[in-house]
């Protein structure tokens, strides 16, 4: 599901080609922040697991397989976070081990961001903007849409879940996405 704000469907047509999966694009003429768009998109889903990725992110070809491995094999997990690479045009590395998770190693550091307890081990940048969570966790802790969270919606979302479920976190220590800052600031 895509939530697209500051747009209307007849002005911004999208391809109606068929995919092997159902999809919905929800248009809003008014501007929405990142938290609002994520909550709107998630409200249309009926899946057991919800995973987020933004328009300025590039998904690793194995990302969904890693998400599926995590939540199928480790059903108690409340949140999965992985690394991303910044501004890179190089191809993604292929991973042979899709079960290389670190469990219960994430925490909220004093500045409020999500951190790995062994941060020197990390291969890339831990990315709060692409978390995966079970539906029941999301329903209880959706993205905070308040002005106080604007610009840091992703980090607030992840650290709230990590704080509530510190022994139910998973971290995949490899780059499962690429991020090129778009400068939209969550709009």
């Amino acid at each position: 599901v895509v939530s697209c704000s500051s747009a209307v469907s007849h002005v911004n047509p999208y391809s109606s080609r068929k995919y092997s999966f159902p999809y919905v694009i929800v248009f809003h003429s008014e501007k929405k922040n990142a938290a609002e768009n994520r909550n709107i998109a998630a409200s249309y889903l009926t899946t057991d697991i919800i995973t987020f990725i933004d328009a300025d992110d590039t998904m690793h070809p194995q990302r969904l397989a890693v998400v599926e491995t995590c939540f199928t094999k480790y059903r108690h997990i409340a949140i999965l976070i992985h690394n991303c690479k910044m501004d890179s045009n190089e191809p993604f590395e292929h991973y042979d081990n899709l079960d290389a998770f670190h469990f219960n190693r994430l925490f909220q550091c004093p500045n409020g961001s999500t951190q790995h307890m062994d941060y020197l081990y990390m291969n890339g940048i831990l990315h709060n903007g692409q978390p995966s969570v079970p539906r029941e966790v999301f329903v209880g802790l959706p993205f905070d849409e308040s002005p106080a969270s604007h610009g840091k919606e992703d980090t607030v979302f992840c650290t709230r879940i990590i704080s509530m479920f510190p022994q139910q976190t998973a971290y995949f220590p490899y780059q499962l996405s690429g991020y090129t800052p778009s400068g939209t600031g969550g709009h």
Side-chain angles (χ1 to χ4, degrees), residues 99-146:
D99 192 7
F101 303 105
H102 296 191
F103 296 106
N104 311 322
R105 306 296 295 159
L106 300 174
F107 70 99
Q108 181 179 4
C109 68
N111 72 3
S113 66
T114 304
Q115 188 64 56
H116 187 283
M117 290 180 186
D118 304 316
Y119 68 92
L120 294 176
Y121 179 80
M122 293 171 43
N123 173 19
I125 298 169
L126 185 145
H127 199 327
N128 287 283
Q130 300 158 357
S132 300
V133 297
R135 165 180 299 294
E136 62 270 12
V137 170
F138 178 81
V139 168
L141 293 166
F143 282 86
D144 182 354
E145 298 179 7
S146 72

XYZ file of all heavy atoms in Angstrom, residues 99-146:
389
model
N 19.569 -15.624 8.003
C 19.198 -15.860 9.395
C 20.324 -15.396 10.327
O 20.618 -16.025 11.337
C 18.914 -17.358 9.590
C 18.238 -17.670 10.907
O 17.851 -16.738 11.634
O 18.114 -18.863 11.240
N 20.950 -14.272 10.000
C 22.100 -13.762 10.757
C 21.680 -12.707 11.782
O 22.361 -11.714 11.984
C 23.123 -13.174 9.787
N 20.572 -12.917 12.422
C 19.999 -11.903 13.309
C 20.758 -11.776 14.626
O 21.300 -12.739 15.143
C 18.528 -12.242 13.610
C 17.691 -12.372 12.382
C 17.302 -13.613 11.924
C 17.305 -11.247 11.666
C 16.529 -13.737 10.782
C 16.543 -11.359 10.524
C 16.155 -12.610 10.074
N 20.750 -10.574 15.147
C 21.193 -10.296 16.514
C 19.906 -10.044 17.296
O 19.114 -9.180 16.919
C 22.050 -9.035 16.593
C 23.336 -9.124 15.848
N 24.310 -8.185 15.995
C 23.818 -10.021 14.949
C 25.334 -8.494 15.222
N 25.052 -9.600 14.577
N 19.724 -10.744 18.378
C 18.504 -10.589 19.159
C 18.779 -9.794 20.426
O 19.808 -9.967 21.078
C 17.919 -11.963 19.511
C 17.494 -12.730 18.297
C 18.245 -13.797 17.847
C 16.358 -12.362 17.593
C 17.865 -14.505 16.715
C 15.972 -13.051 16.458
C 16.725 -14.126 16.014
N 17.841 -8.911 20.746
C 17.835 -8.178 22.007
C 19.113 -7.366 22.220
O 19.634 -7.291 23.327
C 17.586 -9.151 23.167
C 16.406 -10.054 22.884
O 15.414 -9.609 22.299
N 16.509 -11.309 23.255
N 19.608 -6.750 21.148
C 20.830 -5.942 21.204
C 20.554 -4.478 20.873
O 21.495 -3.693 20.712
C 21.884 -6.486 20.227
C 22.233 -7.958 20.375
C 22.873 -8.325 21.686
N 24.163 -7.693 21.827
C 24.777 -7.487 22.986
N 24.216 -7.878 24.100
N 25.942 -6.908 23.032
N 19.280 -4.090 20.744
C 18.931 -2.717 20.397
C 18.469 -1.973 21.640
O 17.823 -2.544 22.518
C 17.811 -2.708 19.344
C 18.129 -3.412 18.030
C 16.891 -3.442 17.144
C 19.286 -2.733 17.317
N 18.800 -0.678 21.687
C 18.366 0.153 22.813
C 18.277 1.603 22.354
O 18.767 1.968 21.287
C 19.325 0.005 24.002
C 20.685 0.630 23.774
C 20.980 1.892 24.282
C 21.667 -0.036 23.040
C 22.233 2.467 24.074
C 22.911 0.533 22.822
C 23.196 1.788 23.342
N 17.654 2.414 23.195
C 17.569 3.851 22.923
C 18.711 4.526 23.653
O 18.800 4.470 24.871
C 16.227 4.409 23.394
C 16.079 5.890 23.121
C 14.733 6.434 23.582
O 13.932 5.743 24.172
N 14.495 7.700 23.305
N 19.594 5.155 22.893
C 20.732 5.828 23.520
C 20.294 7.189 24.056
O 19.194 7.656 23.768
C 21.909 5.917 22.553
S 21.678 6.997 21.156
N 21.129 7.857 24.857
C 20.730 9.117 25.497
C 20.231 10.202 24.547
O 19.383 11.006 24.926
C 22.001 9.564 26.232
C 22.710 8.283 26.534
C 22.439 7.397 25.335
N 20.717 10.238 23.308
C 20.234 11.275 22.385
C 18.893 10.905 21.762
O 18.344 11.656 20.968
C 21.270 11.587 21.295
C 21.413 10.483 20.268
O 20.708 9.477 20.294
N 22.336 10.674 19.349
N 18.357 9.712 22.098
C 17.031 9.320 21.643
C 17.010 8.385 20.456
O 15.972 7.828 20.130
N 18.133 8.183 19.795
C 18.139 7.326 18.610
C 18.298 5.854 18.983
O 18.682 5.515 20.094
C 19.248 7.747 17.644
O 20.509 7.521 18.213
N 18.010 5.001 18.029
C 18.169 3.573 18.216
C 19.627 3.208 17.996
O 20.248 3.657 17.037
C 17.301 2.799 17.207
O 15.949 3.220 17.356
C 17.400 1.302 17.425
N 20.153 2.385 18.870
C 21.554 1.994 18.773
C 21.679 0.499 19.028
O 20.870 -0.085 19.734
C 22.384 2.776 19.804
C 23.866 2.594 19.684
C 24.421 3.133 18.375
O 24.241 4.287 18.051
N 25.071 2.279 17.619
N 22.704 -0.094 18.461
C 23.046 -1.495 18.701
C 24.081 -1.527 19.827
O 24.985 -0.686 19.860
C 23.631 -2.113 17.423
C 23.863 -3.572 17.501
N 24.936 -4.125 18.168
C 23.165 -4.609 16.992
C 24.885 -5.439 18.071
N 23.821 -5.765 17.354
N 23.962 -2.458 20.736
C 24.883 -2.531 21.875
C 26.322 -2.724 21.448
O 27.235 -2.321 22.154
C 24.447 -3.636 22.833
C 23.186 -3.302 23.570
S 22.715 -4.645 24.674
C 21.141 -4.054 25.244
N 26.530 -3.345 20.312
C 27.875 -3.559 19.779
C 28.036 -2.752 18.495
O 28.280 -3.301 17.431
C 28.098 -5.052 19.496
C 27.864 -5.910 20.714
O 28.329 -5.540 21.803
O 27.198 -6.952 20.570
N 27.899 -1.447 18.589
C 27.814 -0.598 17.390
C 29.022 -0.712 16.471
O 28.915 -0.482 15.282
C 27.587 0.859 17.772
C 28.749 1.521 18.471
C 29.710 2.220 17.757
C 28.880 1.436 19.851
C 30.781 2.808 18.402
C 29.947 2.020 20.497
C 30.892 2.708 19.767
O 31.946 3.286 20.399
N 30.155 -1.120 16.973
C 31.333 -1.257 16.118
C 31.199 -2.428 15.147
O 31.874 -2.490 14.131
C 32.599 -1.417 16.964
C 32.979 -0.199 17.790
C 34.193 -0.512 18.659
C 33.256 0.999 16.908
N 30.287 -3.358 15.469
C 30.097 -4.534 14.622
C 29.294 -4.197 13.359
O 29.343 -4.905 12.376
C 29.378 -5.621 15.425
C 29.103 -6.871 14.630
C 30.096 -7.822 14.428
C 27.853 -7.091 14.067
C 29.853 -8.964 13.689
C 27.597 -8.237 13.328
C 28.610 -9.169 13.144
O 28.366 -10.284 12.416
N 28.568 -3.122 13.406
C 27.605 -2.817 12.351
C 28.266 -2.604 10.991
O 29.304 -1.986 10.884
C 26.784 -1.596 12.740
C 25.899 -1.884 13.931
S 25.082 -0.438 14.613
C 24.550 0.438 13.194
N 27.638 -3.147 9.951
C 28.081 -3.023 8.566
C 27.121 -2.066 7.862
O 26.164 -2.487 7.243
C 28.058 -4.407 7.902
C 28.334 -4.328 6.418
O 28.873 -3.344 5.938
N 27.939 -5.350 5.696
N 27.340 -0.780 8.013
C 26.433 0.203 7.444
C 25.762 0.991 8.539
O 26.211 1.022 9.669
N 24.656 1.589 8.196
C 23.940 2.471 9.110
C 22.629 1.819 9.507
O 21.832 1.436 8.650
C 23.680 3.827 8.422
C 25.013 4.489 8.090
C 22.808 4.718 9.285
C 24.893 5.680 7.194
N 22.405 1.678 10.798
C 21.148 1.162 11.309
C 20.058 2.135 10.887
O 20.150 3.324 11.168
C 21.236 1.045 12.827
C 20.071 0.413 13.536
C 20.585 -0.377 14.737
C 19.076 1.427 13.976
N 19.035 1.646 10.210
C 18.030 2.532 9.618
C 16.677 2.361 10.310
O 16.007 1.351 10.148
C 17.891 2.249 8.130
C 17.256 3.362 7.364
N 16.290 4.177 7.879
C 17.461 3.785 6.101
C 15.917 5.056 6.974
N 16.617 4.841 5.882
N 16.274 3.387 11.057
C 14.983 3.384 11.744
C 13.813 3.508 10.776
O 12.683 3.203 11.131
C 14.902 4.556 12.735
C 15.749 4.337 13.946
O 15.384 3.587 14.828
N 16.891 4.992 14.001
N 14.058 3.980 9.565
C 12.972 4.276 8.628
C 12.401 3.078 7.913
O 11.457 3.228 7.146
N 12.936 1.891 8.143
C 12.456 0.720 7.414
C 12.192 -0.458 8.352
O 12.583 -1.587 8.079
C 13.485 0.347 6.341
C 13.679 1.473 5.377
C 14.996 1.429 4.644
O 15.843 0.583 4.873
N 15.175 2.367 3.750
N 11.486 -0.198 9.467
C 11.238 -1.281 10.413
C 10.170 -2.245 9.902
O 9.361 -1.910 9.035
C 10.731 -0.546 11.658
C 10.013 0.634 11.090
C 10.858 1.053 9.902
N 10.187 -3.433 10.459
C 9.146 -4.431 10.208
C 8.611 -4.848 11.568
O 9.383 -5.076 12.500
C 9.720 -5.635 9.471
O 10.268 -5.243 8.231
N 7.286 -4.948 11.659
C 6.644 -5.261 12.940
C 5.414 -6.141 12.716
O 4.789 -6.076 11.660
C 6.207 -3.976 13.690
C 7.395 -3.101 14.051
C 5.197 -3.176 12.883
N 5.044 -6.936 13.719
C 3.777 -7.660 13.640
C 2.603 -6.669 13.712
O 2.711 -5.618 14.351
C 3.785 -8.561 14.876
C 5.209 -8.617 15.310
C 5.808 -7.303 14.907
N 1.520 -7.019 13.078
C 0.336 -6.153 13.066
C -0.089 -5.754 14.476
O -0.386 -4.592 14.735
C -0.828 -6.859 12.369
C -2.191 -6.186 12.634
C -3.350 -6.857 11.977
N -3.215 -6.854 10.536
C -3.229 -5.764 9.774
N -3.372 -4.595 10.314
N -3.093 -5.857 8.482
N -0.110 -6.725 15.412
C -0.606 -6.409 16.755
C 0.280 -5.394 17.463
O -0.200 -4.588 18.262
C -0.800 -7.672 17.609
C 0.443 -8.478 17.880
C 0.735 -9.556 16.839
O 0.109 -9.565 15.760
O 1.611 -10.393 17.101
N 1.562 -5.375 17.183
C 2.449 -4.355 17.762
C 2.126 -3.000 17.151
O 1.989 -2.000 17.860
C 3.936 -4.728 17.551
C 4.852 -3.567 17.924
C 4.283 -5.973 18.359
N 1.970 -2.962 15.838
C 1.666 -1.692 15.168
C 0.330 -1.117 15.647
O 0.231 0.080 15.907
C 1.635 -1.852 13.641
C 1.278 -0.568 12.961
C 2.244 0.406 12.758
C -0.026 -0.304 12.572
C 1.913 1.616 12.181
C -0.358 0.898 11.989
C 0.611 1.860 11.790
N -0.686 -1.944 15.764
C -2.003 -1.465 16.184
C -1.913 -0.812 17.560
O -2.529 0.223 17.813
C -3.043 -2.614 16.161
C -4.334 -2.213 16.861
C -3.322 -3.031 14.718
N -1.122 -1.390 18.456
C -0.962 -0.824 19.795
C -0.030 0.377 19.858
O -0.127 1.195 20.771
N 0.887 0.491 18.901
C 1.886 1.567 18.905
C 2.086 2.125 17.494
O 3.164 1.995 16.918
C 3.224 1.035 19.427
C 3.272 0.616 20.888
C 4.531 -0.198 21.167
C 3.211 1.831 21.782
N 1.070 2.785 16.927
C 1.266 3.351 15.588
C 2.266 4.509 15.632
O 2.697 4.927 16.713
C -0.132 3.839 15.213
C -0.781 4.137 16.526
C -0.224 3.113 17.488
N 2.620 5.015 14.480
C 3.521 6.165 14.407
C 2.873 7.362 15.091
O 1.681 7.618 14.923
C 3.843 6.513 12.949
C 4.856 5.606 12.337
C 4.470 4.410 11.764
C 6.202 5.936 12.348
C 5.401 3.557 11.205
C 7.154 5.090 11.795
C 6.741 3.889 11.215
N 3.675 8.095 15.855
C 3.227 9.297 16.554
C 3.109 10.428 15.538
O 4.104 10.832 14.936
C 4.229 9.652 17.646
C 3.825 10.863 18.469
O 2.817 11.534 18.142
O 4.524 11.153 19.449
N 1.900 10.936 15.340
C 1.651 11.984 14.357
C 1.759 13.393 14.929
O 1.548 14.371 14.219
C 0.259 11.789 13.732
C 0.116 10.494 12.983
C -1.279 10.286 12.392
O -2.116 11.219 12.448
O -1.528 9.184 11.868
N 2.111 13.520 16.187
C 2.149 14.835 16.828
C 3.297 15.684 16.289
O 4.310 15.157 15.812
C 2.303 14.685 18.343
O 3.613 14.265 18.664
